[in-house]
Amino acid sequence: ETGVTQTPRHLVMGMTNKKSLKCEQHLGHNAMYWYKQSAKKPLELMFVYNFKEQTENNSVPSRFSPECPNSSHLFLHLHTLQPEDSALYLCASSQDLQAQEYFGPGTRLTVL
Amino acid sequence: EDQVTQSPEALRLQEGESSSLNCSYTVSGLRGLFWYRQDPGKGPEFLFTLYSAGEEKEKERLKATLTKKESFLHITAPKPEDSATYLCAVQAIGGSNYKLTFGKGTLLTVNP
């Protein structure tokens, strides 16, 4: 595997479910990010981790819970989501916080 | 607050018909301007970073330029495989100076 991978690629869940998104980067980068991409809207930064430490929580509702066990892996735990949370969730990584970001393919999330 | 406006929202070109995409930005101090390409169902793919007014970068049929208020992505003799959404983002100096502020993108369609 190369670059940034995300699993699952597609996820359908009910509002009472709990699920997790996984991201893995094989680039040796130190920073990792979660973004939300909704139709007709710009990418929205959700969380930033640098050397496993969270440096940014962009006013994200608590029903989204990130976890970064090491510099290569990033998770987004989901619970009690709303239909408006349906979107493409993108993971990205960069060598450091100021370098260009490399994105994964995304997880298409649908909340019923 | 940093702002990025991309125009047009959508652009249709015939193969070989050159054109330009615009990215206007407002930022307290620009550290870098980034261009990404995004294909349907995929994550954004990094194209260029520009740091100072007057800077230009080229890659195949694409050339990015930067002024103090805007950036242009020039596409010369486009081919159908250039069809994608092109995203522009700015990174500011100071504060949370690693955060990227994205525009909504320009959807480019190149017809054969």
Side-chain angles (χ1 to χ4, degrees):
Chain A
E1 290 279 12
T2 59
V4 181
T5 59
Q6 291 186 243
T7 55
R9 294 295 310 278
H10 301 272
L11 179 62
V12 179
M13 57 187 290
M15 289 191 285
T16 58
N17 292 159
K18 289 184 180 181
K19 297 286 184 183
S20 295
L21 310 184
K22 178 183 175 182
C23 174
E24 183 173 1
Q25 59 95 0
H26 309 267
L27 301 169
H29 289 168
N30 298 311
M32 296 188 77
Y33 311 77
W34 280 117
Y35 284 87
K36 176 183 179 182
Q37 188 174 37
S38 305
K40 305 294 185 184
K41 288 186 175 182
L43 267 75
E44 300 172 54
L45 179 65
M46 300 175 71
F47 302 103
V48 181
Y49 280 81
N50 190 35
F51 290 98
K52 303 189 300 179
E53 298 298 320
Q54 187 177 131
T55 61
E56 185 79 23
N57 175 338
N58 203 26
S59 302
V60 180
S62 59
R63 57 186 183 269
F64 295 91
S65 175
E67 178 190 0
C68 188
N70 55 61
S71 292
S72 297
H73 294 86
L74 186 63
F75 295 89
L76 188 62
H77 304 298
L78 316 171
H79 64 96
T80 324
L81 293 191
Q82 305 299 310
E84 59 264 30
D85 296 322
S86 299
L88 181 68
Y89 288 84
L90 291 161
C91 174
S93 71
S94 62
Q95 182 60 50
D96 56 60
L97 289 177
Q98 295 179 337
Q100 66 263 26
E101 297 173 21
Y102 293 85
F103 286 83
T107 294
R108 173 66 63 185
L109 174 66
T110 303
V111 182
L112 301 176
Chain B
E1 183 179 333
D2 303 335
Q3 289 191 334
V4 176
T5 303
Q6 292 188 246
S7 62
E9 288 187 17
L11 180 63
R12 284 187 175 271
L13 299 174
Q14 288 299 121
E15 185 172 2
E17 180 187 2
S18 301
S19 188
S20 297
L21 312 182
N22 178 263
C23 171
S24 298
Y25 63 89
T26 304
V27 65
S28 53
L30 181 69
R31 184 188 171 277
L33 185 141
F34 299 78
W35 281 99
Y36 286 85
R37 167 193 171 128
Q38 186 173 22
D39 293 300
K42 295 187 177 182
E45 175 189 347
F46 171 74
L47 293 174
F48 306 108
T49 309
L50 302 168
Y51 293 103
S52 56
E55 188 176 1
E56 298 183 353
K57 288 194 176 174
E58 287 189 65
K59 180 180 180 179
E60 296 181 353
R61 295 176 292 282
L62 300 177
K63 183 169 80 172
T65 62
L66 181 65
T67 73
K68 290 186 178 180
K69 293 184 178 180
E70 58 192 348
S71 176
F72 292 93
L73 185 65
H74 307 278
I75 304 177
T76 302
K79 298 181 177 182
E81 53 262 42
D82 295 321
S83 298
T85 296
Y86 290 85
L87 302 173
C88 172
V90 296
Q91 191 177 55
I93 296 172
S96 298
N97 62 355
Y98 49 83
K99 292 174 63 175
L100 294 181
T101 300
F102 280 86
K104 293 182 179 181
T106 293
L107 174 61
L108 175 66
T109 304
V110 182
N111 296 314

